[in-house]
Amino acid sequence: YYCRSNFEAYHGPSSQQHAPTTASIDADDHDADAMITRDLWRNHRLIAPASSSKKWWDAALHLLMMYGCFYTPMQAAFRIHHAPAHLALDYFFDVLFWLDIVVTFRTVRRAHAPLTPSPVPTARATLGAQTFYDEDNELVHDVTRIARSYVRTRFVLDLVGTFPFEVFALGAAGDVHSDAFKACRLLRLFRLARVRKLHPNSTSALASTSTVKMNLGRLARLLTYFLFLAHIIACVWWVIGASYD
């Protein structure tokens, strides 16, 4: 079982007789999360969402998602031709998103069973990564429950946003520059669901971060939505104007 009470029982209390400071609490949280991350991978081959490597992985895919969601509509609207090297790079990014689907199946996460967040403060919620506990304050690491939870939530969106539907259009049209090929690539926009993943609005996420960080995260998410919406509207207006030429 992976819970913070076990960590303190093994390593001793995280604070001495004096009142704990913010720095000592953060250090204890970091030590506990490091031990949990190491034991989860060693014993179950599972990934803790609070691990630094998982945070960097999510941040990198977030940047790739932003690139795809802004470039793909512009490519379809302005009929930008696919250079072979650029197309190969896009499919390399797709491979990374396929890999992320596999990683998500092996990542400890909230299940749809009635789970409650741990009342004990967890590590800092960088990019919204959280570790969730059940009623006994223990990490949920059952692979079946993790897979069932992922399939019931974001799996379909991730699959539609990653599957190369344009290959079927390529078989029909026989040209990567065809409108059908570019239109099928617009399904990559389903990757915007990752914005919700990286910036959750749950009570547990808000409880473990400061008010300033919480407001900055909300502001960044709103700016992302508005910028993307303005970009889509501009692309649609260009297509409408070009159709009259």
Side-chain angles (χ1 to χ4, degrees), residues 137-157:
N137 197 31
E138 296 169 355
L139 273 175
V140 178
H141 56 275
D142 182 72
V143 178
T144 303
R145 295 180 65 186
I146 293 173
R148 187 184 300 117
S149 174
Y150 180 42
V151 170
R152 290 177 178 176
T153 53
R154 285 183 34 253
F155 174 72
V156 175
L157 295 177

Side-chain angles (χ1 to χ4, degrees), residues 14-239:
S14 57
S15 60
Q16 304 300 328
Q17 298 298 326
H18 56 80
T21 62
T22 303
S24 64
I25 294 176
D26 289 343
D28 291 341
D29 286 342
H30 178 74
D31 293 339
D33 284 327
M35 187 192 73
I36 291 172
T37 299
R38 183 176 59 254
D39 290 346
L40 278 174
W41 180 254
R42 180 185 302 168
N43 299 324
H44 302 281
R45 289 296 184 263
L46 291 175
I47 302 170
S51 63
S52 58
S53 57
K54 185 62 168 63
K55 294 174 185 178
W56 281 108
W57 173 260
D58 287 340
L61 289 185
H62 183 63
L63 294 177
L64 295 181
M65 179 271 297
M66 296 296 298
Y67 154 77
C69 289
F70 277 92
Y71 181 76
T72 303
M74 183 177 64
Q75 189 178 46
F78 291 88
R79 297 185 177 181
I80 301 175
H81 290 280
H82 292 81
H86 195 180
L87 190 61
L89 184 63
D90 285 344
Y91 280 113
F92 172 73
F93 292 158
D94 289 345
V95 172
L96 296 182
F97 282 101
W98 278 111
L99 181 60
D100 182 67
I101 292 178
V102 178
V103 169
T104 305
F105 273 111
R106 305 297 301 180
T107 301
V108 177
R109 63 194 309 272
R110 182 196 293 270
H112 263 285
L115 305 179
T116 56
S118 170
V120 182
T122 59
R124 291 179 294 273
T126 307
L127 294 179
Q130 293 291 308
T131 303
F132 291 93
Y133 300 81
D134 60 10
E135 297 86 349
D136 298 324
N137 197 31
E138 296 169 355
L139 273 175
V140 178
H141 56 275
D142 182 72
V143 178
T144 303
R145 295 180 65 186
I146 293 173
R148 187 184 300 117
S149 174
Y150 180 42
V151 170
R152 290 177 178 176
T153 53
R154 285 183 34 253
F155 174 72
V156 175
L157 295 177
D158 290 346
L159 182 64
V160 173
T162 307
F163 190 83
F165 291 98
E166 66 273 8
V167 173
F168 299 102
L170 180 62
D175 187 7
V176 297
H177 305 306
S178 63
D179 293 338
F181 183 87
K182 296 177 181 178
C184 288
R185 288 188 62 83
L186 290 176
L187 294 174
R188 301 294 194 278
L189 300 182
F190 279 94
R191 291 174 181 171
L192 277 176
R194 292 179 174 273
V195 176
R196 174 71 179 179
K197 172 187 175 183
L198 294 174
H199 302 283
N201 199 22
S202 60
T203 304
S204 58
L206 301 182
S208 59
T209 186
S210 64
T211 304
V212 175
K213 291 182 179 180
M214 178 185 67
N215 292 332
L216 288 177
R218 287 177 173 176
L219 180 60
R221 184 173 60 183
L222 287 176
L223 288 177
T224 301
Y225 285 149
F226 281 120
L227 184 60
F228 176 74
L229 181 61
H231 178 65
I232 291 295
I233 293 175
C235 291
V236 171
W237 275 110
W238 175 266
V239 172

